[in-house]
Every structure is written in C-alpha cells, then in structure tokens.
Amino acid sequence: MAGQKSGFFLVREEILPEAIKKTIKVKDLLKRGEARTINEAVEKMELSRSAYYKYKDYVFPFYEASREKIVTLALLLEHKQGVLSRVLNTIAGEHGSILTINQGIPLQGVANATVSLETADLSIDLEALLDKLRMVEGVKRLEVLGQE
C-alpha cells in the first residue's frame, strides 16, 4: 500500500456513511453563508468537529470535482429539427465551452451524439447544467461519459 496513488470514485450519495454526508452539508452551509463558523455549521448538522475535520478535505459534490475539467456527454436525441442546436445553445448560454461535437446518422427517429465541453467558466454547477439539458425538448437520454 505504501506509495500507492489516491484515486477518485463517483459514488452514489445513498451508500455514503452519515458522517460523510453531513460533512458535505456542513461545507455547503459554510459556502452559502447559512452558518458563520464551522462550530455553528457542525452543530446544525449534529456532526462532531473531529468527524468534519477528518473528512472535509476528501469529500466534495460532483459539480465541484468537475469544475475546470473537460466533460464528455452522451446524448440520445430525437431526430427533429433544432434539437442539437437547443442542446448547444443551452451549454453556451451557461458559458460552457464546447470542444467537440459528434452526431451519428439518425436511426428509427433518434440519433446518438457526444459533446465534449470545458466547464471552467460555467455560470452554474455541472449538475444544474445536466438537469437543464435533460429538460431540453427532444433530449431522450443524457449520460456523463467521462471527465478529464
């Protein structure tokens, strides 16, 4: 184990221990100004200070991990005029920098597309952007393929 590199994992929130979930919430309270001090935030979340300090540098929301990264999205789009354009406009409207676009030939009324974007200048967090993209008319499916 000595000299082994640390890795990052994408883990669903519901399997995390309560102390880790509460640590994330404490960090969020502090960031949003809903608590002025660490003591106040840990008390609100009923978390010990020692647990907070143990985990605070190791856990963060997905959108924080994706800041200033390149994210590749896989989309399944209806074969209708303007769907890809609305997807791209949504990304551009939130200051995402689109790097690559690939779209397959439509089959059975749908087309697969991949879009790579840089997230450094996003005006909203990545999770919020993904939610917005899922709401675009004609987007049937959206998945994050990878991050660099």
Side-chain angles (χ1 to χ4, degrees):
M1 291 278 174
Q4 190 176 13
K5 281 175 66 174
S6 291
F8 286 90
F9 300 91
L10 195 56
V11 179
R12 290 191 60 97
E13 180 181 6
E14 53 265 16
I15 71 161
L16 293 174
E18 280 303 307
I20 292 176
K21 290 183 207 177
K22 288 181 177 183
T23 298
I24 292 168
K25 289 177 182 171
V26 165
K27 291 174 71 172
D28 191 49
L29 287 173
L30 291 166
K31 185 167 80 173
R32 289 185 292 144
E34 293 180 23
R36 290 180 295 119
T37 65
I38 291 169
N39 275 343
E40 185 180 332
V42 295
E43 282 178 23
K44 279 185 178 182
M45 292 310 308
E46 297 179 354
L47 178 69
S48 71
R49 283 173 46 91
S50 63
Y52 171 75
Y53 283 109
K54 179 178 180 179
Y55 297 122
K56 75 175 183 69
D57 294 328
Y58 300 100
V59 296
F60 38 87
F62 175 68
Y63 66 83
E64 260 183 46
S66 62
R67 289 306 263 180
E68 300 182 25
K69 303 268 193 253
I70 296 171
V71 177
T72 302
L73 307 176
L75 302 111
L76 184 64
L77 306 175
E78 278 185 55
H79 179 52
K80 289 185 179 173
Q81 185 174 346
V83 175
L84 181 57
S85 178
R86 285 192 296 273
V87 166
L88 300 177
N89 286 336
T90 300
I91 294 168
E94 299 301 342
H95 306 286
S97 178
I98 297 167
L99 303 173
T100 66
I101 305 164
N102 294 299
Q103 182 175 7
I105 294 173
L107 298 171
Q108 299 177 352
V110 292
N112 287 301
T114 58
V115 176
S116 295
L117 64 129
E118 206 168 36
T119 63
D121 296 324
L122 279 179
S123 57
I124 58 176
D125 64 59
L126 182 61
E127 285 297 321
L129 177 62
L130 296 177
D131 288 342
K132 276 185 113 168
L133 290 171
R134 287 184 181 103
M135 299 301 293
V136 170
E137 185 181 338
V139 173
K140 293 297 196 186
R141 189 177 64 229
L142 170 74
E143 296 173 13
V144 176
L145 282 185
Q147 298 183 62
E148 293 181 23

